[in-house]
Amino acid sequence: MDSEIYSPFTITTTPYKVVNSQEIPLYVLLPKSLPRGPRPILVHIHGGFLFAGNALYPDWSTSWSRSYNLVHSAIRISANYRLAPDANGLEILSDIKDLLTWIENDLAGYLESIGRSDVVPDLGRVMVHGESAGGYLAIQSGLMRPDLVRAVVAAYPMTYIDSPWYAEAGEKHRS
């Protein structure tokens, strides 16, 4: 990533899922000064109203989360997911579930494959955060996998998606 905000990190990418021959990528951001041993995991899910966005879009990467990564020497996972209208809500939720499964089952092996076997993902310290649609998906991740997700930070999440504003077609007016 060319953005200066990511300069303190080493960034690698790998698919965590393949749907219809299309790889869905995630990005592993490791602080360049990452110490050996067990490290907490911070999972970032991007916003975009489930219709837009990218996991590494710099304008949607909050400074507090990057600071948290560096202060706590955390492993950051930023993942893409399928977007509406090409995918429906259940398919998007299945992407998040599969992301968490990848973290649980494959992250350690991936770190070893990129030459970082000295870094051990601490699966007892997993926090998921996101903004807007990402906040909604962060909340859902905690509900889907309370055995794995220990903390959720949801900034201005979509929470009333069954309200007429979201659920019914038509022109929208703000009061």
Side-chain angles (χ1 to χ4, degrees), residues 16-81:
Y16 70 92
K17 181 175 183 171
V18 177
V19 177
N20 298 325
S21 303
Q22 178 71 39
E23 294 181 343
I24 302 175
L26 61 78
Y27 303 89
V28 177
L29 289 77
L30 301 176
K32 289 182 179 173
S33 60
L34 189 66
R36 304 170 63 93
R39 306 300 345 135
I41 303 164
L42 178 62
V43 181
H44 175 248
I45 304 175
H46 72 80
F49 201 63
L50 302 176
F51 284 83
N54 180 286
L56 289 183
Y57 181 58
D59 291 349
W60 292 354
S61 177
T62 57
S63 60
W64 77 263
S65 69
R66 293 189 315 278
S67 295
Y68 180 92
N69 267 113
L70 298 171
V71 168
H72 296 281
S73 298
I75 300 166
R76 176 180 170 137
I77 307 293
S78 293
N80 283 324
Y81 51 87

Side-chain angles (χ1 to χ4, degrees), residues 9-160:
F9 301 95
T10 299
I11 302 173
T12 60
T13 186
T14 188
Y16 70 92
K17 181 175 183 171
V18 177
V19 177
N20 298 325
S21 303
Q22 178 71 39
E23 294 181 343
I24 302 175
L26 61 78
Y27 303 89
V28 177
L29 289 77
L30 301 176
K32 289 182 179 173
S33 60
L34 189 66
R36 304 170 63 93
R39 306 300 345 135
I41 303 164
L42 178 62
V43 181
H44 175 248
I45 304 175
H46 72 80
F49 201 63
L50 302 176
F51 284 83
N54 180 286
L56 289 183
Y57 181 58
D59 291 349
W60 292 354
S61 177
T62 57
S63 60
W64 77 263
S65 69
R66 293 189 315 278
S67 295
Y68 180 92
N69 267 113
L70 298 171
V71 168
H72 296 281
S73 298
I75 300 166
R76 176 180 170 137
I77 307 293
S78 293
N80 283 324
Y81 51 87
R82 289 177 284 174
L83 300 171
D86 296 329
N88 64 39
L90 291 177
E91 291 168 330
I92 294 169
L93 288 171
S94 80
D95 292 348
I96 301 306
K97 184 177 180 185
D98 291 340
L99 168 65
L100 296 171
T101 299
W102 185 91
I103 290 168
E104 183 176 43
N105 297 331
D106 299 315
L107 177 56
Y110 176 73
L111 290 171
E112 188 172 319
S113 77
I114 63 168
R116 291 308 308 257
S117 58
D118 60 323
V119 177
V120 179
D122 185 346
L123 296 175
R125 295 190 293 165
V126 176
M127 180 172 82
V128 181
H129 79 92
E131 308 80 21
S132 188
Y136 164 74
L137 294 172
I139 292 168
Q140 293 300 317
S141 72
L143 295 171
M144 282 189 281
R145 292 297 311 272
D147 59 314
L148 179 66
V149 177
R150 299 293 184 222
V152 171
V153 176
Y156 47 92
M158 300 171 14
T159 54
Y160 298 107

